[in-house]
Amino acid sequence: MQLSVWHEVNSSQEYAEGKGRVLRVSGQHALARVGEQDTRCELRGKLKAGRRAATSPVVAGDWVQVSDAGDGKMVVEAVLPRTSRIARAASGRRPIEQILAANIDRFIVVVAIREPALSTGFIDRALAMAISGGIAPLVCINKVDLDPDESASKVCQLYRDLGYEVIPASVKTGEGMDELDRVLHSGVCALVGPSGVGKSSILNRLQPGLKLATQELMRQHDRGRHTTTAVQLHPLQGGGFVVDTPGLKQLQLCGVTAREVIECFPEFVAATPSGCHFRDCTHLHEPGCRIRDAVEDGRITSSRYEGYGRIMAELQGEQ
Ligand SMILES: Nc1nc2c(ncn2[C@@H]2O[C@H](COP(=O)(O)OP(=O)(O)O)[C@@H](O)[C@H]2O)c(=O)[nH]1
Ligand SMILES: [Mg+2]
Ligand SMILES: [Zn+2]
C-alpha cells in the first residue's frame, strides 16, 4: 500500500496518541492505519458485535483509540465520535439501521447513462442518504460514451439546476477523469451506486495500483468470485482515501426525516414560495397542494416528484 502525503503530515502525532483509522473490519478484527502502519487489531470485548446486531460497533472509516496489549497485540479500545455516516436499512422483519462507513467527506453518487439503464429515482434516494448522513453529495454520470442521443446532458442539467455538482464521465474516453481525480484527493470519498455502473473501473483508471475487481475482469478470469464485498477504505497516492461500496441496488433509507427529504428537493420550495394550503402538507394527497400544481404545469419535473413520492412512501412504511 502507498503512503499518502496527507498521512505523512499527520501520522506521527496520531501514532503518539494511539489514534488510528479503520480501513476495514472483518469479524472481530479491524485493520487500522496507526501512524504509518496498517495494523491488525482485535476489538475490545465491549466493542464486539452481538450476533443479531446489524452494524458492527466499529466500521470502515472510524477513528479509533488503540493500545498495545503486550506481545505486540493491538487492541481497539474505543471508537471516537463519528462526524458523518453512510447508513441504510438492513433487511429484516423490522428495518434496523446498518452503518456501512463513517467519517466520509464526499458522497459520490455514481450511475451510468446506459447499461444499466439510468434511474433518476436512484439518484434522488442516494442524495437523501448522503444528506441525512451529513455528507456533501456529488453526482457522477458514467458511460457517457454510450450516449448517442445526448440524454446525459439533460440529466446533468436537471441536477446542476438543483445546485448539485455533476460530473459526466467515461472510463472509455477519459472524459471527467481529471475532475474526479481532484475530488478524490480532497478527502475521504465514497463511491455509491448500483453494480455495473463502473465504480471500480473509475478507481482503477485513476489509480491502477488499486487493482479492484471489475465485472469485466470477472467475466474473463474468475467467474463466481464476488467483486466488491466488504466496505473498505483504500489509501490513495497523493492523499486521501476512497471507499468503493458494494453495488447497492436498493438503497433502503433508514431514519431519514421528512424534513431531510425536502432538503433534497430544493426546487419544491423554490416553486411554491407561499407554501401549500396546509402548513404541514406532505404534497402527496392534500387538497390545495401547490407542489402538485407545479408538477402539472411543468415547473417541477415529474420524475423528481415521483422520486419524492417513493421516498416518502418508504419512510412512512418504516414507522
Ligand atoms: N462503455 C463503457 N463501459 C464502462 C465504463 N466504465 C465501466 N464500464 C464497463 O462496465 C462494466 C462494469 O464495471 P465495474 O467497474 O465492474 O462496475 P461496478 O460494479 O460499479 O464497480 C465493466 O464491464 C466495465 O468495463 C465506461 O465509461 N464506458
Ligand atoms: Mg465494483
Ligand atoms: Zn403540498
Side-chain angles (χ1 to χ4, degrees), residues 69-83:
D71 316 337
K73 207 171 84 178
M74 300 299 282
V75 178
V76 174
E77 301 283 354
V79 179
L80 305 181
R82 294 173 179 143
T83 55

Side-chain angles (χ1 to χ4, degrees), residues 276 281 283 289-291:
C276 298
C281 186
H283 319 307
C289 176
R290 309 271 177 270
I291 298 288

Side-chain angles (χ1 to χ4, degrees), residues 32 54 58-59 80 126 152 165 169 193 213 220 232 287 318:
V58 183
V59 301
L80 305 181
E165 191 180 337
Q220 288 167 6
Q232 185 173 348
E318 199 182 272

Side-chain angles (χ1 to χ4, degrees), residues 194-201 203 212-215 227-229 244-247:
S195 74
V197 297
K199 298 179 297 297
S200 303
S201 304
L203 295 177
L212 300 172
T214 61
Q215 286 186 354
T227 32
T228 320
T229 48
D244 180 18
T245 58

